[in-house]
Amino acid sequence: MDLQIAAVLLPLLGWAVHGSVLAHRLASARRDPLTGLHTRAGWTARAEHCIRRHPSAVVLLVDLDHFKTLNDTHGHAAGDAALVATADRLRAWCGRSGTAGRLGGDEFVAVVRDLAAVDLDALIAALHRPLPHNGVSLPLAASVGVCRVTELPVPLLTDALAAADAAMYATKGRGRRGFRASR
């Protein structure tokens, strides 16, 4: 190979490899390492895009019930298994109609284009299905708050999350099973 060509190609190859490594790191930073769901930053970007494009979008906030008790009783591996199962069930429910994310701890979020396109009762049933783990059936339960973006004066994700959060806490106050819509 001509020395002059090598002198030009070598730095270009280095920059290409460097760019690829940075792109991989950025993508990894936007995914939760345990569940594979989007982190807050990755999910927020997708949720805002969904809300802009789909006026009938719905934001959900999901919080596992009695997670600390499950962790303390069955161990952290069981808690991790519960988080992974919840993430898988939420991801499957969203399908191609939305995007799921993990905010942290035992708190998850989702945005779907239209609640009519998905079965909310099926999600609640899935989130309450026991999880087989090391020969034991782990009880799983979750409270879900729902906010229809059309109910907001201005369709902002921050307001939708606040309304879904309030609805989720109202669900916890009712005995922690099922879901509650905002307002």
Side-chain angles (χ1 to χ4, degrees):
M1 179 184 309
D2 187 331
L3 217 49
Q4 203 170 25
I5 293 173
V8 170
L9 289 181
L10 202 53
L12 291 177
L13 179 62
W15 278 108
V17 169
H18 180 70
S20 176
V21 168
L22 287 178
H24 178 71
R25 284 186 179 169
L26 180 60
S28 295
R30 292 184 174 230
R31 292 279 181 178
D32 175 55
L34 178 64
T35 65
L37 290 180
H38 296 285
T39 60
R40 182 184 299 265
W43 180 82
T44 297
R46 284 172 169 71
E48 287 174 341
H49 178 75
C50 181
I51 287 172
R52 278 193 307 274
R53 292 198 61 212
H54 303 283
S56 59
V58 178
V59 174
L60 289 83
L61 191 64
V62 178
D63 189 67
L64 292 182
D65 296 334
H66 312 293
F67 182 70
K68 182 176 178 354
T69 302
L70 185 141
N71 240 354
D72 291 347
T73 304
H74 300 282
H76 291 287
D80 285 352
L83 294 172
V84 170
T86 300
D88 290 346
R89 294 168 186 185
L90 188 57
R91 182 186 301 110
W93 178 79
C94 285
R96 298 182 65 92
S97 297
T99 302
R102 180 176 176 209
L103 295 181
D106 63 340
E107 198 168 62
F108 297 85
V109 287
V111 62
V112 291
R113 289 179 277 211
D114 187 358
L115 202 53
V118 292
D119 183 355
L120 191 55
D121 290 329
L123 173 64
I124 301 306
L127 294 175
H128 288 84
R129 197 171 54 242
L131 173 68
H133 177 74
N134 289 342
V136 176
S137 181
L138 300 177
L140 293 186
S143 296
V144 179
V146 177
C147 176
R148 291 170 179 83
V149 176
T150 55
E151 296 175 356
L152 299 172
V154 178
L156 295 175
L157 180 59
T158 53
D159 294 343
L161 282 169
D165 190 49
M168 186 264 304
Y169 276 104
T171 299
K172 284 190 181 291
R174 288 187 313 150
R176 298 178 179 252
R177 288 195 65 90
F179 71 93
R180 185 171 178 102
S182 61
R183 297 183 192 197

